[in-house]
């Protein structure tokens, strides 16, 4: 016997189905997007909120009680980290020796996802995709504690690798913040010998010695360095852990997967996280480029890192970014033909212009902009007496 169809019941069921579908669509469309609207909130509270919404782990060496005023509404993790990096109340950099840190995303160097790595102009902090690596998981945990306590800065038993990746050379304020997790591992690439100077003399390093082509790595430390030279990442590991490696890590569509597989094959342990770092520079030890040209400052390798970082942009933004990178390469090629003194002046002027392109002022809160203006006025009065 066929039961009669109750039209009211069917209509009600359809309404419930549509309502449930809309609710599911609402949550799915915002999945992984981050909203933070705070004024003078503790940094630790803001980090926990971003971790929860973005499904990530974030470590920071900045005081968790530091104040943050920021506003972002349903943005990607890179955009949230970029906004946080320029709005956290971090003390000015210490007046320390050393060559300074390498690249990262975030306030250091302006538009982090775009300009991290040039150093200085963007704000009080920088953020990076990071890998804590050691022979055992307990040593990895110790590295994380050392980082969050700031003890790694002057610990020469730890070696870190992080090189400039100035994405502001190919972006403007309309360019989204790149996601470093979408970078690839292109495989080992060694830096060739730099071209001679315009007068025919060989290019030299800070020690005055001629620079030679870089040799292929043969140990764990050499390959960790290669990972950092090939992608915008921050890597830390015990300097003494340097066993030989017989086979080079093959290219991979994911930098994260490549590093995890490499460490596993080396019988080590790794923790991947997003880090937020203060700007204080090390007085000794790892977190700085070492060796001039070979410290990631080779323009060809830096441009390759920028090209890799472009993989973190939305697909529709990548062609324009790569076209700008091609223009930048041509500019660098033309400057390389100039006499040494003129080339230095041109390069300084050019990179200062790129640095201005990475100005993150529009992301700062009104209070932060007022503080920066006040500091600029104070510095001018101190310098000029008026």
């Amino acid at each position: 016997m066929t039961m009669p169809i109750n039209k009211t019941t069917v209509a009600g069921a359809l309404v419930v189905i549509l309502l449930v579908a809309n609710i599911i669509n609402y949550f799915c469309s915002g999945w992984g997007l981050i909203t933070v609207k705070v004024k003078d909130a503790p940094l630790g509270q803001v980090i926990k909120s971003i971790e929860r919404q973005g499904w990530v782990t974030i470590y920071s060496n900045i005081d968790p009680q530091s104040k943050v005023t920021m506003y972002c509404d349903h943005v990607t993790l890179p955009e949230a980290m970029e906004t946080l990096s320029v709005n956290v109340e971090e003390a000015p950099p210490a007046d320390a020796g050393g060559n300074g840190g390498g690249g990262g995303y975030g306030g250091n160097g302006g538009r982090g996802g775009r300009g991290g790595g040039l150093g200085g102009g963007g704000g009080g902090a920088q953020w990076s995709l990071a890998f804590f690596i050691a022979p055992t998981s307990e040593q990895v945990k110790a590295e994380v504690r050392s980082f969050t306590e700031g003890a790694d800065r002057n610990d020469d038993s730890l070696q870190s690798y992080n090189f400039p990746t100035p994405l502001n050379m190919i972006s403007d304020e309309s360019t989204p913040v790149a996601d470093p997790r979408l970078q690839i591992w292109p495989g080992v690439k060694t830096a060739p010998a730099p071209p001679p100077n315009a007068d025919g003399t060989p290019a030299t390093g800070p020690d005055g010695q001629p620079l030679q082509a870089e040799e292929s790595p043969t140990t764990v430390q050499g390959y960790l360095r290669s990972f950092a030279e090939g992608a915008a990442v921050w890597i830390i590991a015990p300097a003494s852990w340097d066993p030989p490696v017989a086979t080079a890590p093959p290219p991979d569509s994911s930098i994260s997967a490549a590093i995890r597989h490499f460490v596993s094959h080396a019988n080590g342990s790794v923790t991947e996280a997003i880090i937020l770092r203060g700007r204080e520079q090390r007085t000794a030890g790892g977190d700085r480029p070492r060796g001039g040209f070979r410290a990631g400052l080779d323009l060809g390798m830096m441009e390759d890192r920028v090209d890799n970082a472009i993989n973190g942009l939305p697909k529709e933004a990548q062609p324009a970014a790569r076209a700008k990178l091609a223009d930048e390469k041509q500019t660098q090629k033309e400057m390389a033909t100039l006499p040494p003194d003129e080339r230095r002046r041109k390069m300084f002027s050019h990179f200062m212009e790129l640095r201005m392109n990475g100005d993150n002022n529009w992301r700062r809160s009104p209070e932060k902009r007022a503080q920066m203006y006040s500091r600029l006025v104070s510095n001018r009065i101190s310098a000029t007496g008026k």
Side-chain angles (χ1 to χ4, degrees):
M1 179 178 176
T2 304
M3 298 292 292
I5 298 177
N6 189 317
K7 294 183 178 180
T8 302
T9 302
V10 172
L14 288 174
V15 169
V16 171
I17 292 172
L18 290 173
L19 180 59
V20 171
N22 283 331
I23 292 174
I24 293 174
N25 179 67
Y26 173 80
F27 282 105
C28 288
S29 63
W31 190 262
L33 296 181
I34 295 164
T35 296
V36 179
K37 303 173 185 178
V38 295
K39 181 177 176 62
D40 291 332
L43 172 63
Q45 173 186 318
V46 175
I47 286 178
K48 287 180 180 178
S49 177
I50 295 175
E51 285 181 317
R52 183 178 66 254
Q53 297 179 70
W55 293 80
V56 293
T57 297
I58 301 173
Y59 297 124
S60 177
N61 62 4
I62 302 173
D63 183 352
Q65 296 303 315
S66 298
K67 299 302 181 183
V68 177
T69 295
M70 63 179 284
Y71 180 99
C72 57
D73 188 8
H74 287 80
V75 301
T76 62
L77 173 68
E79 180 63 44
M81 291 304 302
E82 190 69 18
T83 303
L84 173 59
S85 72
V86 299
N87 283 295
V88 62
E89 291 293 338
E90 168 68 354
D95 183 12
N99 296 327
Y105 287 32
N108 153 342
R111 230 185 311 281
R114 309 190 236 296
L118 286 180
Q126 61 181 350
W127 68 279
S128 306
L129 173 63
F131 297 89
F132 295 84
I133 298 170
T136 69
S137 59
E138 289 303 312
Q139 287 174 289
V140 168
K141 292 177 183 177
E143 283 180 350
V144 172
R145 286 194 300 271
S146 180
F147 168 75
T148 57
E149 294 169 359
D152 68 301
R153 294 181 180 276
N154 296 300
D155 186 351
D156 280 339
S157 70
L158 296 174
Q159 176 66 57
S160 61
Y161 301 98
N162 177 227
F163 300 121
T165 310
L167 274 172
N168 57 350
M169 68 167 56
I170 49 86
S171 64
D172 53 37
E173 289 186 1
S174 66
T175 309
V177 183
D179 190 336
R181 297 170 298 178
L182 300 179
Q183 295 177 103
I184 67 169
W185 166 236
V188 176
K189 180 179 180 181
T190 56
N197 296 319
D199 59 3
T201 58
T204 58
D207 58 0
Q209 297 300 312
L211 293 168
Q212 307 296 326
E214 187 177 25
E215 296 182 357
S216 297
T218 58
T219 65
V220 162
Q221 294 291 328
Y223 282 111
L224 294 183
R225 180 188 184 90
S226 288
F227 281 126
E229 287 178 331
V233 296
W234 185 89
I235 296 174
I236 189 168
S240 61
W241 187 51
D242 197 24
V245 176
T247 305
D252 197 298
S253 60
S254 166
I255 183 64
S256 297
I259 292 176
R260 288 196 303 269
H261 293 158
F262 172 78
V263 174
S264 176
H265 290 158
N267 298 315
S269 181
V270 58
T271 289
E272 178 180 342
I274 299 295
I275 61 170
L276 180 70
R277 293 185 286 161
R279 287 190 299 163
E280 295 89 354
Q281 296 182 4
R282 297 186 57 154
T283 57
D287 189 18
R288 61 180 190 267
R290 300 186 185 207
F293 179 82
R294 287 295 168 261
L297 300 182
D298 166 54
L299 288 177
M301 297 190 78
M302 184 171 69
E303 289 164 351
D304 287 343
R305 281 192 301 279
V306 171
D307 185 74
N308 194 359
I310 290 173
N311 290 315
L313 293 175
K315 294 292 184 183
E316 63 272 14
Q318 292 182 19
R322 288 199 163 92
K324 290 180 181 178
L325 178 59
D327 291 342
E328 177 63 25
K329 288 181 177 180
Q330 181 60 34
T331 298
Q332 297 289 344
K333 184 177 180 180
E334 292 170 356
M335 286 194 292
T337 64
L338 299 173
D341 288 344
E342 184 179 356
R343 181 171 71 245
R344 280 191 291 270
R345 288 194 299 270
K346 288 280 189 180
M347 291 188 71
F348 177 80
S349 175
H350 180 65
F351 280 109
M352 286 301 294
E353 182 180 350
L354 292 178
R355 182 169 174 175
M356 293 302 295
N357 287 345
D359 189 344
N360 249 326
N361 197 49
W362 66 278
R363 276 194 177 87
R364 295 188 177 96
S365 66
E367 294 85 353
K368 192 74 170 180
R369 288 196 293 269
Q371 290 171 6
M372 291 197 66
Y373 179 75
S374 176
R375 186 160 60 247
L376 288 171
V377 171
S378 177
N379 289 344
R380 179 172 180 175
I381 292 174
S382 298
T384 64
K386 59 181 180 180

